[in-house]
Amino acid sequence: MRRIWINGLTVLMVAVALAGCSTSKEKMLPHDGNTMLDIWNEETGGAARGGQSAQQLLDARQSLRRSLTQDDVNAAPTVNASYTRTAQNEIYRQFHRLPNPDLVMYVFPHLAGTDPAPVPGYTTVFPLYQRVQYAMPGERVENY
């Protein structure tokens, strides 16, 4: 009796799974003959939609914009003056190099290679940091 229930339940689950996969693409995602341009125009207001034309939408957006006040106009050149490129600051460096001191190292005489060959002692110079680092504008103004 138990085996009949298990077989019946298995058949029922297979039938439900097959019924769920039997939907057509057109039924799930109807095409309606619209092109992508039609959908774009409909959703973005590029064409008349629901009685609201593109001009009405543009007018609504324009009413939300505010004009600049005289204080905004006066403050505009000085807000980003240190970062903005002009003819005057074009000849000056804005991003100064940070110091990268040279280290002097003495290599003692030693033997090197598979056939130990003597290498005399010598001095070498290399930078402390691997890469050149730069400061943000205004962070470092003194020369080094």
Side-chain angles (χ1 to χ4, degrees):
M1 182 72 178
R2 183 178 171 108
R3 186 166 178 89
I4 294 172
W5 277 97
I6 292 174
N7 288 343
L9 188 60
T10 305
V11 169
L12 182 63
M13 286 177 33
V14 169
V16 168
L18 289 176
C21 297
S22 65
T23 307
S24 70
K25 179 186 77 111
E26 289 299 323
K27 187 174 179 183
M28 289 295 289
L29 302 169
H31 191 264
D32 296 337
N34 290 342
T35 64
M36 282 304 293
L37 182 60
D38 296 336
I39 296 170
W40 173 263
N41 286 334
E42 183 179 323
E43 295 299 322
T44 61
R49 176 178 64 154
Q52 182 181 20
S53 68
Q55 184 61 38
Q56 288 173 328
L57 185 61
L58 185 62
D59 291 342
R61 287 180 182 161
Q62 198 66 17
S63 68
L64 295 174
R65 293 185 180 155
R66 66 175 179 88
S67 59
L68 293 176
T69 64
Q70 189 60 36
D71 294 334
D72 294 334
V73 173
N74 292 340
T78 59
V79 171
N80 293 324
S82 62
Y83 296 98
T84 307
R85 294 173 69 172
T86 63
Q88 180 182 5
N89 69 7
E90 191 66 28
I91 60 173
Y92 301 111
R93 289 184 301 172
Q94 290 184 16
F95 298 92
H96 293 276
R97 281 183 158 188
L98 292 173
N100 190 3
D102 287 334
L103 298 179
V104 179
M105 184 177 87
Y106 178 74
V107 180
F108 288 97
H110 59 280
L111 300 174
T114 54
D115 291 334
V119 177
Y122 61 93
T123 302
T124 184
V125 178
F126 58 92
L128 178 64
Y129 302 110
Q130 193 173 20
R131 296 187 193 120
V132 176
Q133 303 290 328
Y134 293 93
M136 293 295 292
E139 224 176 20
R140 180 181 177 90
V141 291
E142 68 273 359
N143 289 329
Y144 58 92

